[in-house]
């Protein structure tokens, strides 16, 4: 199950009336949320609704994950009984012990580890290296509440997560939700900042955010043409020169291939 998605959408687990529209929204990834989006007294009903929806095979083409409640055995066991392509989004991961506990309850299930505290960010390398971890993600709202500060603190956390993920061979993490759902200009600006840092893709809290996110991460025609020429020119290995006069070597092939993968149709 790949974790390299351009757009992701959260849908509250206690709103089954939104499940179909979420899966038909065009998002690459849909995350059924049992945690922040659900009031405490509705969590049990939300779990039942999500399990029934996913168990009954009412699935679109988007990849699917379930954001469980941290340390909730019922959530983890419920998801572990679903189809193997349903991933777990695990909140508030601070150590490998948190991951081991989740794996014990949902063995063989790939995890996306959400780093939402200073301790989680500090331990990002060890968390990324855990064999069950498919990807890292940042819970920026919780992190801001704990550490305070402005954009420099979030930038540091984003870069720490990015370097930990890439060093462990994981894909570039997706950016966290931009909470001001009507501020599409602010969303675009912040998404461009995340992209410039090296993150790829972003989670959304509302379908209206998806087009903005997709546009930021979509490669331009010039990017695609460059990538195609790089791959073609480097087939023989060594150093080569593009038609523009730019010299390229095998170190650039990875970026070119990533661009080309990003424009492939999603199966």
């Amino acid at each position: 199950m790949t974790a390299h998605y351009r757009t992701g959408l959260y849908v509250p687990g206690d709103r089954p009336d939104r499940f179909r529209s979420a899966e038909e929204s065009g998002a690459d990834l849909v995350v059924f949320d049992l945690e922040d989006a659900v009031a405490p007294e509705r969590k049990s009903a939300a779990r039942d609704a999500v399990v029934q929806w996913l168990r009954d095979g009412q699935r679109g083409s988007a990849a699917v994950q379930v954001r469980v409640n941290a340390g909730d055995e019922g959530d983890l066991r419920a998801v572990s009984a679903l189809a193997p392509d349903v991933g777990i989004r695990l909140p508030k991961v601070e150590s490998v012990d948190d991951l081991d506990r989740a794996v014990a309850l949902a063995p063989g299930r790939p995890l996306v580890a959400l780093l939402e505290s200073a301790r989680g960010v500090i331990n990002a390398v060890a968390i990324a290296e855990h064999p069950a971890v498919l990807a890292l993600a940042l819970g920026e709202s919780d992190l801001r509440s704990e550490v305070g500060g402005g954009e420099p603190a979030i930038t540091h956390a984003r870069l720490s997560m990015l370097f930990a993920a890439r060093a462990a061979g994981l894909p570039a993490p997706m950016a966290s939700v931009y909470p001001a759902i009507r501020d599409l200009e602010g969303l675009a600006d912040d998404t461009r900042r995340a992209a410039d840092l090296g993150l790829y893709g972003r989670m959304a809290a509302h379908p209206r955010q998806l087009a903005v996110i997709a546009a930021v991460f979509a490669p331009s025609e010039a990017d695609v043409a460059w990538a195609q020429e790089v791959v073609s020119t480097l087939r023989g290995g060594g150093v080569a020169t593009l038609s523009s006069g730019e010299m390229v070597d095998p170190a650039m092939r990875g970026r070119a291939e990533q661009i080309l993968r990003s424009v492939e149709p999603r199966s």
Side-chain angles (χ1 to χ4, degrees):
M1 179 173 56
T2 181
H4 216 154
Y5 308 116
R6 188 178 300 172
T7 55
L9 178 65
Y10 279 110
V11 59
D14 61 346
R15 293 299 305 270
D17 56 309
R18 297 182 183 178
F19 290 176
R20 184 172 299 281
S21 61
E23 293 215 47
E24 295 176 351
S25 65
D28 298 322
L29 168 69
V30 174
V31 177
F32 292 84
D33 193 3
L34 302 180
E35 195 210 18
D36 287 345
V38 180
E41 67 274 12
R42 295 187 57 81
K43 288 186 182 291
S44 179
R47 182 201 300 159
D48 292 344
V50 170
V51 167
Q52 180 178 350
W53 177 267
L54 298 178
R55 186 187 57 213
D56 291 349
Q58 303 176 81
R59 299 276 299 278
S61 61
V64 169
Q65 295 171 1
V66 178
R67 180 162 70 172
V68 300
N69 290 281
D72 192 300
E73 292 189 16
D75 285 357
L76 289 164
R77 292 190 188 281
V79 178
S80 71
L82 296 172
D85 62 337
V86 177
I88 291 176
R89 209 166 181 86
L90 189 65
K92 299 176 175 57
V93 177
E94 294 190 330
S95 69
V96 295
D97 290 341
D98 296 330
L99 297 166
D100 288 340
R101 283 190 288 271
V103 170
L105 294 166
R109 186 72 49 161
L111 303 176
V112 176
L114 291 174
L115 313 180
E116 304 184 82
S117 66
R119 188 168 182 235
V121 173
I122 292 297
N123 290 333
V125 172
I127 291 168
E129 290 175 344
H130 192 283
V133 171
L134 178 77
L136 298 182
L138 202 63
E140 293 184 5
S141 295
D142 289 88
L143 191 61
R144 287 178 191 273
S145 296
E146 179 180 331
V147 304
E151 289 307 315
I154 294 300
T155 297
H156 173 79
R158 286 173 169 177
L159 287 173
S160 297
M161 174 182 66
L162 171 69
F163 276 82
R166 299 305 290 145
L170 302 179
M174 300 177 76
S176 183
V177 162
Y178 187 80
I181 61 176
R182 292 184 176 87
D183 181 13
L184 298 184
E185 184 176 345
L187 169 65
D189 289 342
D190 189 67
T191 304
R192 282 190 287 267
R193 283 193 291 272
D196 287 344
L197 291 175
L199 304 190
Y200 183 82
R202 184 163 208 160
M203 295 299 303
H206 193 281
R208 68 165 57 101
Q209 297 178 311
L210 295 174
V212 175
I213 295 168
V216 170
F217 288 102
S220 67
E221 291 183 6
D223 289 335
V224 174
W226 175 86
Q228 290 172 334
E229 188 176 4
V230 167
V231 171
S232 176
T233 303
L234 290 177
R235 282 203 180 104
V239 177
T241 303
L242 303 183
S243 59
S244 64
E246 178 186 2
M247 293 187 67
V248 294
D249 61 30
M252 299 179 181
R253 188 183 182 99
R255 176 171 173 262
E257 291 175 340
Q258 180 177 337
I259 290 172
L260 296 180
R261 283 195 300 271
S262 73
V263 297
E264 292 175 352
R266 182 162 47 89
S267 57

PDB file of all heavy atoms in Angstrom, residues 235-255:
ATOM      1  N   ARG A 235      19.622   6.996 -19.817  1.00  0.00           N
ATOM      2  CA  ARG A 235      19.513   5.540 -19.979  1.00  0.00           C
ATOM      3  C   ARG A 235      20.875   4.880 -20.101  1.00  0.00           C
ATOM      4  O   ARG A 235      21.067   3.746 -19.688  1.00  0.00           O
ATOM      5  CB  ARG A 235      18.676   5.220 -21.221  1.00  0.00           C
ATOM      6  CG  ARG A 235      17.182   5.372 -20.979  1.00  0.00           C
ATOM      7  CD  ARG A 235      16.360   4.561 -21.959  1.00  0.00           C
ATOM      8  NE  ARG A 235      14.939   4.734 -21.686  1.00  0.00           N
ATOM      9  CZ  ARG A 235      14.120   5.486 -22.401  1.00  0.00           C
ATOM     10  NH1 ARG A 235      14.573   6.145 -23.452  1.00  0.00           N
ATOM     11  NH2 ARG A 235      12.845   5.586 -22.080  1.00  0.00           N
ATOM     12  N   GLY A 236      21.804   5.592 -20.687  1.00  0.00           N
ATOM     13  CA  GLY A 236      23.131   5.017 -20.859  1.00  0.00           C
ATOM     14  C   GLY A 236      24.034   5.203 -19.659  1.00  0.00           C
ATOM     15  O   GLY A 236      25.177   4.736 -19.653  1.00  0.00           O
ATOM     16  N   GLY A 237      23.532   5.894 -18.614  1.00  0.00           N
ATOM     17  CA  GLY A 237      24.336   6.133 -17.421  1.00  0.00           C
ATOM     18  C   GLY A 237      25.298   7.287 -17.604  1.00  0.00           C
ATOM     19  O   GLY A 237      25.368   7.915 -18.668  1.00  0.00           O
ATOM     20  N   GLY A 238      26.067   7.580 -16.577  1.00  0.00           N
ATOM     21  CA  GLY A 238      27.059   8.634 -16.643  1.00  0.00           C
ATOM     22  C   GLY A 238      26.450  10.025 -16.637  1.00  0.00           C
ATOM     23  O   GLY A 238      25.301  10.232 -16.285  1.00  0.00           O
ATOM     24  N   VAL A 239      27.235  10.987 -17.080  1.00  0.00           N
ATOM     25  CA  VAL A 239      26.808  12.385 -17.160  1.00  0.00           C
ATOM     26  C   VAL A 239      26.358  12.671 -18.573  1.00  0.00           C
ATOM     27  O   VAL A 239      26.963  12.209 -19.542  1.00  0.00           O
ATOM     28  CB  VAL A 239      27.971  13.334 -16.766  1.00  0.00           C
ATOM     29  CG1 VAL A 239      27.558  14.787 -16.917  1.00  0.00           C
ATOM     30  CG2 VAL A 239      28.409  13.053 -15.335  1.00  0.00           C
ATOM     31  N   ALA A 240      25.251  13.438 -18.692  1.00  0.00           N
ATOM     32  CA  ALA A 240      24.723  13.756 -20.027  1.00  0.00           C
ATOM     33  C   ALA A 240      24.313  15.221 -20.048  1.00  0.00           C
ATOM     34  O   ALA A 240      24.245  15.893 -19.013  1.00  0.00           O
ATOM     35  CB  ALA A 240      23.537  12.852 -20.352  1.00  0.00           C
ATOM     36  N   THR A 241      24.045  15.710 -21.248  1.00  0.00           N
ATOM     37  CA  THR A 241      23.627  17.095 -21.427  1.00  0.00           C
ATOM     38  C   THR A 241      22.251  17.133 -22.080  1.00  0.00           C
ATOM     39  O   THR A 241      22.023  16.478 -23.103  1.00  0.00           O
ATOM     40  CB  THR A 241      24.634  17.860 -22.313  1.00  0.00           C
ATOM     41  OG1 THR A 241      25.930  17.762 -21.718  1.00  0.00           O
ATOM     42  CG2 THR A 241      24.243  19.333 -22.429  1.00  0.00           C
ATOM     43  N   LEU A 242      21.335  17.892 -21.477  1.00  0.00           N
ATOM     44  CA  LEU A 242      20.000  18.039 -22.034  1.00  0.00           C
ATOM     45  C   LEU A 242      20.016  19.018 -23.202  1.00  0.00           C
ATOM     46  O   LEU A 242      21.000  19.729 -23.422  1.00  0.00           O
ATOM     47  CB  LEU A 242      19.031  18.533 -20.960  1.00  0.00           C
ATOM     48  CG  LEU A 242      18.909  17.680 -19.690  1.00  0.00           C
ATOM     49  CD1 LEU A 242      17.859  18.280 -18.762  1.00  0.00           C
ATOM     50  CD2 LEU A 242      18.571  16.241 -20.035  1.00  0.00           C
ATOM     51  N   SER A 243      18.908  19.074 -23.924  1.00  0.00           N
ATOM     52  CA  SER A 243      18.811  19.988 -25.073  1.00  0.00           C
ATOM     53  C   SER A 243      18.952  21.446 -24.649  1.00  0.00           C
ATOM     54  O   SER A 243      19.357  22.296 -25.432  1.00  0.00           O
ATOM     55  CB  SER A 243      17.486  19.783 -25.799  1.00  0.00           C
ATOM     56  OG  SER A 243      16.391  20.004 -24.921  1.00  0.00           O
ATOM     57  N   SER A 244      18.646  21.735 -23.386  1.00  0.00           N
ATOM     58  CA  SER A 244      18.767  23.104 -22.870  1.00  0.00           C
ATOM     59  C   SER A 244      20.207  23.471 -22.549  1.00  0.00           C
ATOM     60  O   SER A 244      20.512  24.628 -22.260  1.00  0.00           O
ATOM     61  CB  SER A 244      17.924  23.249 -21.603  1.00  0.00           C
ATOM     62  OG  SER A 244      18.436  22.403 -20.578  1.00  0.00           O
ATOM     63  N   GLY A 245      21.091  22.475 -22.550  1.00  0.00           N
ATOM     64  CA  GLY A 245      22.470  22.698 -22.161  1.00  0.00           C
ATOM     65  C   GLY A 245      22.754  22.320 -20.724  1.00  0.00           C
ATOM     66  O   GLY A 245      23.909  22.350 -20.288  1.00  0.00           O
ATOM     67  N   GLU A 246      21.716  21.957 -19.966  1.00  0.00           N
ATOM     68  CA  GLU A 246      21.896  21.567 -18.566  1.00  0.00           C
ATOM     69  C   GLU A 246      22.566  20.204 -18.481  1.00  0.00           C
ATOM     70  O   GLU A 246      22.167  19.260 -19.164  1.00  0.00           O
ATOM     71  CB  GLU A 246      20.537  21.505 -17.856  1.00  0.00           C
ATOM     72  CG  GLU A 246      20.631  21.050 -16.413  1.00  0.00           C
ATOM     73  CD  GLU A 246      19.263  20.855 -15.771  1.00  0.00           C
ATOM     74  OE1 GLU A 246      18.236  21.045 -16.456  1.00  0.00           O
ATOM     75  OE2 GLU A 246      19.225  20.498 -14.574  1.00  0.00           O
ATOM     76  N   MET A 247      23.568  20.116 -17.632  1.00  0.00           N
ATOM     77  CA  MET A 247      24.237  18.844 -17.403  1.00  0.00           C
ATOM     78  C   MET A 247      23.505  18.085 -16.311  1.00  0.00           C
ATOM     79  O   MET A 247      23.134  18.651 -15.278  1.00  0.00           O
ATOM     80  CB  MET A 247      25.699  19.066 -17.009  1.00  0.00           C
ATOM     81  CG  MET A 247      26.554  19.644 -18.128  1.00  0.00           C
ATOM     82  SD  MET A 247      28.304  19.705 -17.674  1.00  0.00           S
ATOM     83  CE  MET A 247      28.688  17.962 -17.569  1.00  0.00           C
ATOM     84  N   VAL A 248      23.277  16.802 -16.548  1.00  0.00           N
ATOM     85  CA  VAL A 248      22.575  15.969 -15.568  1.00  0.00           C
ATOM     86  C   VAL A 248      23.371  14.691 -15.340  1.00  0.00           C
ATOM     87  O   VAL A 248      24.142  14.259 -16.196  1.00  0.00           O
ATOM     88  CB  VAL A 248      21.143  15.623 -16.045  1.00  0.00           C
ATOM     89  CG1 VAL A 248      20.275  16.862 -16.108  1.00  0.00           C
ATOM     90  CG2 VAL A 248      21.166  14.919 -17.395  1.00  0.00           C
ATOM     91  N   ASP A 249      23.169  14.113 -14.157  1.00  0.00           N
ATOM     92  CA  ASP A 249      23.836  12.852 -13.824  1.00  0.00           C
ATOM     93  C   ASP A 249      22.835  11.953 -13.115  1.00  0.00           C
ATOM     94  O   ASP A 249      21.701  12.357 -12.836  1.00  0.00           O
ATOM     95  CB  ASP A 249      25.090  13.105 -12.985  1.00  0.00           C
ATOM     96  CG  ASP A 249      24.784  13.794 -11.667  1.00  0.00           C
ATOM     97  OD1 ASP A 249      23.683  13.579 -11.126  1.00  0.00           O
ATOM     98  OD2 ASP A 249      25.641  14.548 -11.173  1.00  0.00           O
ATOM     99  N   PRO A 250      23.219  10.707 -12.808  1.00  0.00           N
ATOM    100  CA  PRO A 250      22.265   9.771 -12.195  1.00  0.00           C
ATOM    101  C   PRO A 250      21.636  10.252 -10.895  1.00  0.00           C
ATOM    102  O   PRO A 250      20.546   9.795 -10.528  1.00  0.00           O
ATOM    103  CB  PRO A 250      23.115   8.520 -11.974  1.00  0.00           C
ATOM    104  CG  PRO A 250      24.135   8.575 -13.069  1.00  0.00           C
ATOM    105  CD  PRO A 250      24.470  10.036 -13.200  1.00  0.00           C
ATOM    106  N   ALA A 251      22.284  11.188 -10.186  1.00  0.00           N
ATOM    107  CA  ALA A 251      21.705  11.701  -8.948  1.00  0.00           C
ATOM    108  C   ALA A 251      20.389  12.429  -9.197  1.00  0.00           C
ATOM    109  O   ALA A 251      19.544  12.537  -8.299  1.00  0.00           O
ATOM    110  CB  ALA A 251      22.694  12.644  -8.264  1.00  0.00           C
ATOM    111  N   MET A 252      20.189  12.938 -10.417  1.00  0.00           N
ATOM    112  CA  MET A 252      18.967  13.675 -10.746  1.00  0.00           C
ATOM    113  C   MET A 252      17.846  12.761 -11.236  1.00  0.00           C
ATOM    114  O   MET A 252      16.707  13.196 -11.378  1.00  0.00           O
ATOM    115  CB  MET A 252      19.271  14.726 -11.822  1.00  0.00           C
ATOM    116  CG  MET A 252      20.285  15.763 -11.399  1.00  0.00           C
ATOM    117  SD  MET A 252      20.623  16.956 -12.699  1.00  0.00           S
ATOM    118  CE  MET A 252      21.863  17.990 -11.916  1.00  0.00           C
ATOM    119  N   ARG A 253      18.196  11.518 -11.496  1.00  0.00           N
ATOM    120  CA  ARG A 253      17.192  10.600 -12.039  1.00  0.00           C
ATOM    121  C   ARG A 253      16.052  10.351 -11.056  1.00  0.00           C
ATOM    122  O   ARG A 253      14.883  10.241 -11.449  1.00  0.00           O
ATOM    123  CB  ARG A 253      17.853   9.271 -12.426  1.00  0.00           C
ATOM    124  CG  ARG A 253      16.913   8.323 -13.171  1.00  0.00           C
ATOM    125  CD  ARG A 253      17.571   6.989 -13.463  1.00  0.00           C
ATOM    126  NE  ARG A 253      16.672   6.147 -14.217  1.00  0.00           N
ATOM    127  CZ  ARG A 253      16.713   5.980 -15.533  1.00  0.00           C
ATOM    128  NH1 ARG A 253      17.627   6.639 -16.245  1.00  0.00           N
ATOM    129  NH2 ARG A 253      15.853   5.197 -16.137  1.00  0.00           N
ATOM    130  N   GLY A 254      16.378  10.270  -9.757  1.00  0.00           N
ATOM    131  CA  GLY A 254      15.354  10.018  -8.758  1.00  0.00           C
ATOM    132  C   GLY A 254      14.281  11.094  -8.760  1.00  0.00           C
ATOM    133  O   GLY A 254      13.078  10.791  -8.704  1.00  0.00           O
ATOM    134  N   ARG A 255      14.706  12.352  -8.829  1.00  0.00           N
ATOM    135  CA  ARG A 255      13.717  13.448  -8.859  1.00  0.00           C
ATOM    136  C   ARG A 255      12.881  13.381 -10.126  1.00  0.00           C
ATOM    137  O   ARG A 255      11.667  13.582 -10.107  1.00  0.00           O
ATOM    138  CB  ARG A 255      14.417  14.799  -8.766  1.00  0.00           C
ATOM    139  CG  ARG A 255      13.448  15.973  -8.882  1.00  0.00           C
ATOM    140  CD  ARG A 255      14.106  17.304  -8.564  1.00  0.00           C
ATOM    141  NE  ARG A 255      13.177  18.395  -8.841  1.00  0.00           N
ATOM    142  CZ  ARG A 255      13.167  19.112  -9.949  1.00  0.00           C
ATOM    143  NH1 ARG A 255      14.065  18.868 -10.903  1.00  0.00           N
ATOM    144  NH2 ARG A 255      12.295  20.079 -10.127  1.00  0.00           N
TER     145      ARG A 255
END
